[in-house]
Amino acid sequence: MIYQSSLLCFLRHCRKNLREVSILTDYVIVIGCAVLALILALGLYLRNASIKVTNPRMEEIAGYISEGAMAYLRRQYSILAVFIVVMFAVLLIAGLGWETAVCFVVGALFSIAAGFFGMKSATKSNVRTAQSASKGLKAALDVAFSGGAVLGLAVVGLGALGLTALYMIFQDTDIIMGFSLGASSIALFCRVGGGIYTKAADVGADLVGKVEAGIPEDDPRNPATIADNVGDNVGDVAGMGADLYESYCGSILATSALGAAAFIGSGDSTMQFKAVIAPMLIAAVGIILSIIGIFTVRTRDDAKLKDLLKSLSTGINLSSILIIVATFVILWALQLQNWFYISCAVVIGLLVGIVIGRSTEYYTSQSYRPTQKLAESGKTGPATVIISGIGLGMISTTIPVLAVVCGIILSYWFAAGFDFANVSMGLYGIGIAAVGMLSTLGITLATDAYGPIADNAGGNAEMSNLGKEVRSRTDALDSLGNTTAATGKGFAIGSAALTGLALLASYIEEIRIGLTRMGQETLTVGERTIDVHNASFTDFMYYYDITLMNPKVLSGIFIGSMMAFLFCGLTMNAVGRAAAHMVEEVRRQFREIKGILTGEAQPDYARCVEISTKGAQREMIFPSLLAIIAPVLTGLIFGVPGVIGLLVGGLGAGFVLAIFMANAGGAWDNAKKYTEEGNLGGKGGEVHKATVVGDTVGDPFKDTSGPSLNILIKLMSMVAIVMAGLTVVWSLF
């Protein structure tokens, strides 16, 4: 008897130790993959930086761009430092604990680091891409894509490292929500500021340089051309990096929180941990598979645009196929409840991302009929170009919206075990689908960041008066970059929709925690009394009367929808004001500095860079703060029902509006490129001038307001989640 008892104790001890070893192994795997990504990013950066630039003019231009980009970042980071300190104090005063406040700071600093590393890589790689283009297209693509891969690997490495390390320390998804709040806050500032900067410079360069003066794009005689190239880096590299960094972290964290909630009433702590760690493991394996995909991107020197696109697609598709297989293996190894059908949810998320990407490519690429028809509308002037572009953007929302709807329904249905009443597991499936969509972000972001590097390389080649052969190679890379950038924006918007929905579900879980901290142990739903700890999502819906007949919910929906349009209006007007200053400055230099247009005098590039920098820093503050304040005020006035309405309205209106703006802007841009390729009269013709106006209108659509909506959706959710405790305690109605 004693022997049996001792044996039983020994077996229990062994099981406990094995469980602890298994848990530790999971952490080590995720952190190891994250560190590997960061090491490889550093290696690629150093390799590109070691390429010697033999043309002094190219090096001079690259110096202007690098100096301008770093000056912008220094100014922006000084503002963000003040914001981080203030928010740290606010979180402490609000009683959210030092742990949440520390996580906020770490998330903010990691977001800044990701953008900074990407910026450094881009400014080093663009001139070296132009240098390599003199050898051949293969070498140029290798350098440009490697430069983009630095950002992609830095983002996933820092994201996975930060989340996993903080979860190891605090063992509480509620606390590390502060990490995602920090990432989202910084991302919005970077996206809005970078978008305003790049479009102010771009609009000034196009309207005065191309339309009024009739000089080519990236002509060294244009005073705004350096500011335009700097803007490509601060907006489309640092801004995009921060954007997808917070999407990546938000999707993983929201899904982990939903996993904890799905098994909270079962008492099975082991299964709960498996549900929490599963998205982190999928993300970790996704890092390895992204690395494999990155090293498969190769091309030939005689490659055409379709060949280049195929090369990038091969890397992305290979990573996507492998992550599908890996997901089934991971969830099977974890023995997660209903693992097979939850794995299917990941597949669904990837398929939704692919559909959105292909749809975006169809509606924005000059290789397809919609954009070609848009260019043809320029025969009757700029007004019809603008009308046609708006119509195209509106129509283009159909496929992405339907794809996301199918993704939501199917991922919910599969994960719930084909039982729509199983809300907690269904919502977990939606979160897993978002993780699946972003699991290969390392290579997806690499293809996106590649675009501005190629664009800058073309500009450097133009300003350095390199041969036609070199310029044709950089133009081929630039055209490919336009397509990949548009596809990347569509992908980011699609992931924002699924992540936003997962965060909305996570908000309910934070309400549970808020009630517990208040000391409320039960909910009264009709004639039933339910323990708060065991209450389901549906119970909370009934308790707070979350129905369309509740005026607080309806009010929140309208406010959330309005926020999307108000935010776009503020950011577009900000671009307009900053661009007006740039237009005046370029006109002044053409007028007062004699010999610019004849090439006998050098423009004052630094003055244009300064105008864009000051305009961006000034204009980014109010829209960004508004996105943070709106959920807090809505919660204090209308309580939990109002906040849920706000998040639903913001998600619905913001998602569709973001697709419309990104696709319309991308189509206008590529319609201009289509004419510049020699179609419809080519450069300098009336159609070209009309499409340039359309491109100018589309610039803030696709590079400022549209992409910023992705972050707005998630930032409002994160603020609501972190401040949920205050909403529970304090509300006017």
Side-chain angles (χ1 to χ4, degrees):
M1 190 73 180
I2 295 174
Y3 173 78
Q4 290 178 338
S5 178
S6 301
L7 180 61
L8 185 61
C9 290
F10 174 75
L11 291 173
R12 287 174 177 171
H13 178 72
C14 290
R15 188 173 64 181
K16 181 181 177 183
N17 287 341
L18 286 171
R19 188 182 301 163
E20 290 175 353
V21 170
S22 177
I23 291 171
L24 183 61
T25 302
D26 292 336
Y27 290 139
V28 169
I29 290 172
V30 180
I31 292 175
C33 292
V35 172
L36 177 63
L38 294 175
I39 293 172
L40 185 59
L42 178 61
L44 291 174
Y45 171 79
L46 293 175
R47 191 199 68 170
N48 279 2
S50 66
I51 298 172
K52 295 188 181 297
V53 181
T54 57
N55 188 315
R57 176 60 175 165
M58 288 170 61
E59 197 163 17
E60 180 188 2
I61 293 166
Y64 288 141
I65 296 171
S66 180
E67 184 181 342
M70 290 303 116
Y72 170 82
L73 285 187
R74 283 193 297 270
R75 198 177 173 105
Q76 183 174 64
Y77 291 164
S78 64
I79 296 172
L80 293 179
V82 175
F83 170 77
I84 291 170
V85 171
V86 171
M87 280 297 296
F88 180 83
V90 169
L91 293 173
L92 289 178
I93 294 170
L96 296 171
W98 67 267
E99 301 96 337
T100 300
V102 168
C103 288
F104 169 83
V105 174
V106 174
L109 294 178
F110 273 35
S111 180
I112 289 172
F116 178 80
F117 293 150
M119 177 77 79
K120 290 291 290 184
S121 175
T123 53
K124 289 285 186 184
S125 299
N126 55 39
V127 63
R128 287 160 176 83
T129 299
Q131 174 73 37
S132 300
S134 61
K135 300 178 181 179
L137 189 61
K138 180 180 180 181
L141 176 64
D142 184 46
V143 174
F145 187 72
S146 296
V150 172
L151 176 62
L153 294 173
V155 164
V156 297
L158 289 170
L161 178 63
L163 283 174
T164 308
L166 290 173
Y167 188 75
M168 281 183 65
I169 296 169
F170 297 114
Q171 296 287 307
D172 191 341
T173 56
D174 178 46
I175 291 174
I176 60 175
M177 282 292 179
F179 180 90
S180 194
L181 176 62
S184 296
S185 302
I186 299 303
L188 189 61
F189 279 105
C190 291
R191 201 41 145 155
V192 173
I196 294 170
Y197 184 109
T198 184
K199 293 306 105 182
D202 200 2
V203 170
D206 282 354
L207 286 182
V208 186
K210 286 185 180 179
V211 178
E212 295 182 8
I215 58 178
E217 187 173 10
D218 297 319
D219 194 298
R221 294 171 293 175
N222 193 327
T225 191
I226 295 295
D228 187 13
N229 285 321
V230 171
D232 290 337
N233 292 284
V234 302
D236 293 335
V237 177
M240 174 61 82
D243 180 356
L244 286 171
Y245 172 82
E246 69 91 23
S247 290
Y248 184 73
C249 295
S251 66
I252 296 172
L253 185 52
T255 306
S256 294
L258 289 172
F263 296 97
I264 197 169
S266 67
D268 189 346
S269 59
T270 302
M271 191 61 66
Q272 193 175 35
F273 173 78
K274 290 177 179 180
V276 170
I277 201 68
M280 299 181 191
L281 288 171
I282 292 170
V285 174
I287 291 173
I288 302 299
L289 300 180
S290 291
I291 293 171
I292 294 173
I294 287 169
F295 284 103
T296 62
V297 176
R298 295 288 184 271
T299 192
R300 307 184 310 275
D301 284 330
D302 61 345
K304 306 298 181 183
L305 181 60
K306 288 187 176 180
D307 298 321
L308 292 172
L309 188 59
K310 184 180 179 182
S311 297
L312 294 186
S313 298
T314 298
I316 295 173
N317 293 337
L318 176 63
S319 299
S320 299
I321 292 170
L322 291 176
I323 194 62
I324 291 173
V325 177
T327 297
F328 280 88
V329 174
I330 291 168
L331 298 187
W332 170 79
L334 286 173
Q335 285 298 295
L336 186 64
Q337 182 179 310
N338 197 28
W339 66 269
F340 182 82
Y341 292 110
I342 293 175
S343 300
C344 292
V346 173
V347 177
I348 291 165
L350 280 167
L351 291 175
V352 170
I354 292 169
V355 170
I356 293 175
R358 293 289 180 267
S359 171
T360 303
E361 182 185 340
Y362 174 74
Y363 282 106
T364 61
S365 174
Q366 63 264 45
S367 302
Y368 298 100
R369 191 58 184 157
T371 298
Q372 293 173 2
K373 288 180 65 177
L374 177 60
E376 291 170 3
S377 68
K379 295 176 181 178
T380 50
T384 49
V385 171
I386 294 168
I387 293 170
S388 299
I390 292 173
L392 184 152
M394 289 178 174
I395 292 170
S396 71
T397 63
T398 305
I399 294 175
V401 169
L402 292 177
V404 167
V405 168
C406 290
I408 290 170
I409 296 296
L410 291 175
S411 59
Y412 183 105
W413 191 50
F414 273 88
F418 309 106
D419 180 11
F420 277 106
N422 190 359
V423 178
S424 56
M425 288 302 298
L427 293 173
Y428 183 68
I430 294 173
I432 279 286
V435 172
M437 188 182 289
L438 292 170
S439 57
T440 55
L441 182 62
I443 186 171
T444 305
L445 188 51
T447 61
D448 197 3
Y450 151 87
I453 294 174
D455 189 10
N456 270 211
N460 199 313
E462 178 73 31
M463 289 184 280
S464 303
N465 296 314
L466 299 185
K468 289 184 179 180
E469 187 175 312
V470 175
R471 181 63 185 177
S472 67
R473 291 167 184 162
T474 59
D475 282 347
L477 294 176
D478 187 20
S479 296
L480 176 64
N482 286 330
T483 300
T484 59
T487 304
K489 288 183 178 69
F491 196 84
I493 294 167
S495 67
L498 293 180
T499 303
L501 190 58
L503 288 171
L504 177 60
S506 297
Y507 177 70
I508 301 298
E509 182 58 25
E510 294 303 309
I511 296 300
R512 184 198 311 272
I513 295 170
L515 290 171
T516 303
R517 288 174 177 172
M518 284 175 57
Q520 184 172 336
E521 298 179 355
T522 60
L523 301 179
T524 301
V525 181
E527 297 180 354
R528 295 186 302 141
T529 300
I530 306 164
D531 184 74
V532 169
H533 185 73
N534 296 321
S536 66
F537 284 96
T538 306
D539 293 330
F540 282 102
M541 294 293 106
Y542 281 120
Y543 179 74
Y544 283 106
D545 189 25
I546 312 295
T547 67
L548 290 178
M549 295 299 103
N550 187 336
K552 290 183 283 187
V553 176
L554 283 173
S555 298
I557 290 173
F558 279 114
I559 294 171
S561 302
M562 177 269 295
M563 279 293 300
F565 285 87
L566 175 61
F567 187 81
C568 287
L570 290 171
T571 51
M572 293 212 36
N573 283 336
V575 170
R577 286 190 293 270
H581 293 302
M582 185 65 70
V583 167
E584 291 172 1
E585 174 60 21
V586 175
R587 287 173 175 168
R588 183 194 69 79
Q589 292 197 30
F590 281 157
R591 185 174 61 251
E592 297 180 6
I593 303 176
K594 306 301 181 183
I596 287 183
L597 289 174
T598 59
E600 299 172 355
Q602 181 167 291
D604 185 358
Y605 299 127
R607 177 59 184 156
C608 291
V609 170
E610 184 183 0
I611 287 173
S612 272
T613 300
K614 288 184 177 179
Q617 304 299 344
R618 183 176 59 252
E619 298 283 1
M620 76 176 185
I621 295 174
F622 180 68
S624 301
L625 290 178
L626 185 64
I628 296 171
I629 294 170
V632 178
L633 288 180
T634 303
L636 293 176
I637 297 171
F638 297 115
V640 172
V643 173
I644 290 178
L646 173 81
L647 300 182
V648 169
L651 177 60
F655 172 54
V656 180
L657 186 58
I659 295 171
F660 156 68
M661 299 189 82
N663 287 354
W668 274 317
D669 187 2
N670 284 328
K672 177 198 67 177
K673 298 273 187 212
Y674 182 70
T675 61
E676 291 175 345
E677 290 171 354
N679 301 294
L680 303 171
K683 287 185 180 180
E686 292 303 314
V687 175
H688 179 236
K689 290 180 180 179
T691 56
V692 168
V693 174
D695 178 39
T696 304
V697 174
D699 276 338
F701 271 55
K702 67 181 174 67
D703 290 328
T704 307
S705 299
S708 298
L709 283 170
N710 307 339
I711 310 170
L712 176 72
I713 293 168
K714 291 165 289 185
L715 178 58
M716 289 199 302
S717 297
M718 287 309 313
V719 172
I721 287 170
V722 173
M723 297 297 179
L726 291 178
T727 303
V728 171
V729 178
W730 302 101
S731 64
L732 185 59
F733 299 108

